[in-house]
Each structure stands twice: as C-alpha cells, then as structure tokens.
Amino acid sequence: YGTVVLHVAPEAAAGGPLAAVRNGDWIELDCASGGLHLEISDEELASRLAESDPTAASTLIASQGGYRQLYIERVLQADEGCDFDFLVGCRGSDVPRHSH
C-alpha cells in the first residue's frame, strides 16, 4: 500500500535532469501535480549537466545497432507514451494522460 513510482525512459541519456542526480540527493515527489523536483540549486544543476556527456551512452549503445539503436532513435519519453514515434496514432485509441 502507498505510493509506487515506476518510470522508465531514456531521459537521462538524452541529457535531461535525471542525468544530474547523484547519490544522496533529495528528490521531491508531488503526487497531486505529477511532478518530480531534484532538490539542488539551478546553478548546481547547470554545473552537473555541463560536466556530463549526454551522447556517451547513446553513442555506445547505438553503435551496436539492432533493437537498441531503434529504441534510442525512435522511442518517445514517458510523458509522450513510451511508444515508437512511428506508431503514435496508428492504433485507433488514445493513451490517456493518467496512464503514463
């Protein structure tokens, strides 16, 4: 019982804020608004993101080809449904916002 958070998306590898999270950081979860907030200053976030290489993981995986490369190049982020971009709108039913 209680709140469970399951989220799988390539966001960190794409250079998003998840790439800046470090052990010991606090992350605020606001269930009512559906938001996550990394509890560090904007300056610290910018510094951490500047130090990271958002293309490193993608380049390594994409060089292997196959499904992994297809995933990196074509799978949408969680807020867009975690589906292949070329399948959006092809199945005849919407994915409601609360299902993400």
Side-chain angles (χ1 to χ4, degrees):
Y1 299 95
T3 302
V4 176
V5 178
L6 300 173
H7 178 84
V8 179
E11 190 231 285
L18 240 109
V21 175
R22 303 286 186 267
N23 284 342
D25 286 344
W26 285 86
I27 299 174
E28 176 188 358
L29 168 63
D30 184 341
C31 294
S33 71
L36 286 174
H37 177 72
L38 177 59
E39 296 287 333
I40 60 174
S41 69
D42 291 340
E43 294 79 16
E44 178 66 15
L45 177 62
S47 173
R48 290 182 184 185
L49 290 174
E51 293 172 1
S52 68
D53 179 4
T55 62
S58 297
T59 302
L60 174 64
I61 294 170
S63 67
Q64 298 174 14
Y67 180 78
R68 286 182 174 175
Q69 185 168 357
L70 182 64
Y71 179 86
I72 289 169
E73 293 175 355
R74 306 305 294 263
V75 171
L76 300 169
Q77 295 293 331
D79 63 331
E80 299 174 300
C82 291
D83 202 355
F84 288 110
D85 59 358
F86 53 84
L87 293 178
V88 172
C90 296
R91 296 194 176 125
S93 61
D94 285 334
V95 177
R97 176 77 178 118
H98 69 275
S99 294
H100 297 175

